[in-house]
Amino acid sequence: MATLYKTAQSEFMDVDDVLEEKESRNRIKNRVLMVASRGITFRQRHLLNDLEALLPHTKKEAKVEAKQDMELLNELAEIQNCNSVFYFEARKHQDLFMWISRAPSGPSVKFLVQNIHTMDELKMTGNCLKGSRPVLSFDATFDGEPYLQLLKEMLTQTFGVPKGARKSKPFFDHVFTFSVVDNRIWFRNYQISEKNAETGGDVPKNTTPTLIEIGPRFVLNPIRIFEGSFGGPTLYENPRYISPNAVRAAVKAQGSAKYARRVAEAQEREARAHAEPMPVDPLKNVFD
């Protein structure tokens, strides 16, 4: 009886170890909370839906207004059992800012999203399996500056779909590329195709597969990297960043300066005409 009890106890201990290991494995998986602020436009909403379809390990939350209290996003991530957060902050119905944060301790980075083109807008021929895992491709420039190395690690942890994630499939049939051009991060999505683009047939086994762009497209302009989640000390601040408000103000000032120059030229012509009147024609009233 004692031997049977010891055997049963050891079996229960093995089951507990397996459950504990499974629980720890599930706990370290990457889960990304995707949430947007109120006031996003239709194009920004379509970009959000495209990213949700491409990243099966994300959980979408209803729109929240966290401009005053960013800690609310950390609480939502804890409730949803997520350790990363995508927060799309829309301002003035035209500017889109993307926050990527490692909740709840950080770090976090704030981007300005530019040149947005969604899948429906591009209408490209590529098509990948929904829920498949992407291959992440980074430019060699990411290995240079320390802040780019940090951005590479954060993008890897958020855009990389972990093995066994929810709704994911064990296939790699598309590539996410991140390239640094003009101090901005350019995002592209390509399908790995083993079909001949001209004939539509299968390519030989020893040939390199072709890449067909699927979309979406967008450009990330880094603004600031914070030590904490949605705040804290600044680790990096982009010295070349110019806010969209400043750009619009400069364009408006340029237009107003052009108008003021035209008005000044018209006044100058009028004053010159009064100062130097035309001489009277002596033959003007001959035939009256």
Side-chain angles (χ1 to χ4, degrees):
M1 179 66 72
T3 305
L4 184 62
Y5 174 75
K6 287 182 180 180
T7 304
Q9 187 179 14
S10 63
E11 288 180 357
F12 279 120
M13 289 177 63
D14 292 340
V15 171
D16 291 341
D17 292 340
V18 170
L19 291 176
E20 184 177 356
E21 181 182 356
K22 185 176 180 181
E23 204 172 87
S24 63
R25 189 168 63 247
N26 290 336
R27 189 165 51 247
I28 63 175
K29 280 184 179 177
N30 257 353
R31 293 186 177 90
V32 180
L33 177 66
M34 190 171 291
V35 60
S37 67
R38 300 185 184 276
I40 61 173
T41 62
F42 71 96
R43 177 175 291 177
Q44 297 167 359
R45 185 175 64 253
H46 288 177
L47 175 64
L48 185 69
N49 294 335
D50 290 345
L51 290 178
E52 183 190 9
L54 291 173
L55 303 175
H57 64 302
T58 58
K59 292 184 178 180
K60 192 174 180 181
E61 184 66 32
K63 297 178 184 178
V64 296
E65 190 57 55
K67 186 176 180 180
Q68 303 298 331
D69 187 13
M70 302 292 283
E71 289 295 328
L72 175 64
L73 299 172
N74 292 327
E75 297 177 4
L76 289 176
E78 184 179 359
I79 292 173
Q80 294 289 348
N81 195 20
C82 298
N83 47 20
S84 296
V85 180
F86 267 129
Y87 178 55
F88 293 86
E89 183 181 357
R91 294 183 183 175
K92 297 186 176 180
H93 298 280
Q94 52 186 339
D95 301 328
L96 180 64
F97 296 89
M98 176 194 289
W99 288 81
I100 298 179
S101 175
R102 191 72 177 174
S105 58
S108 58
V109 58
K110 184 179 182 181
F111 297 100
L112 172 65
V113 187
Q114 300 173 318
N115 300 338
I116 298 175
H117 299 281
T118 62
M119 288 185 180
D120 295 337
E121 189 178 33
L122 293 173
K123 297 186 182 299
M124 292 185 171
T125 57
N127 186 20
C128 65
L129 180 66
K130 186 175 182 180
S132 60
R133 301 171 63 196
V135 177
L136 302 184
S137 174
F138 288 90
D139 189 5
T141 314
F142 280 96
D143 298 329
E145 297 291 335
Y147 80 94
L148 289 175
Q149 297 178 12
L150 177 59
L151 289 179
K152 178 181 178 180
E153 183 63 28
M154 295 185 67
L155 293 172
T156 302
Q157 293 182 7
T158 50
F159 282 90
V161 180
K163 185 178 180 181
R166 57 187 292 271
K167 299 182 181 179
S168 67
K169 297 179 176 59
F171 304 107
F172 293 92
D173 62 351
H174 61 287
V175 181
F176 290 164
T177 63
F178 299 90
S179 306
V180 179
V181 180
D182 193 21
N183 300 308
R184 293 170 174 81
I185 300 174
W186 297 61
F187 174 86
R188 296 291 185 269
N189 180 26
Y190 296 94
Q191 177 195 359
I192 304 174
S193 176
E194 297 183 354
K195 299 287 185 181
N196 192 327
E198 297 179 358
T199 62
D202 295 336
V203 296
K205 293 183 179 180
N206 297 328
T207 58
T208 304
T210 58
L211 296 179
I212 304 174
E213 187 175 358
I214 305 172
R217 293 178 180 178
F218 55 87
V219 178
L220 299 176
N221 189 2
I223 301 174
R224 189 175 295 185
I225 302 176
F226 299 94
E227 183 179 355
S229 179
F230 299 104
T234 300
L235 300 179
Y236 170 79
E237 185 175 0
N238 188 0
R240 302 179 184 87
Y241 170 73
I242 302 175
S243 67
N245 291 333
V247 173
R248 286 191 290 266
V251 172
K252 188 176 180 180
Q254 185 178 4
S256 62
K258 186 176 179 181
Y259 173 74
R261 187 171 62 253
R262 288 203 309 267
V263 171
E265 290 175 355
Q267 291 176 352
E268 185 181 354
R269 286 195 304 269
E270 187 177 355
R272 192 166 56 248
H274 285 293
E276 301 176 359
M278 292 291 292
V280 179
D281 187 5
L283 303 177
K284 180 179 180 181
N285 301 322
V286 170
F287 300 102
D288 289 346

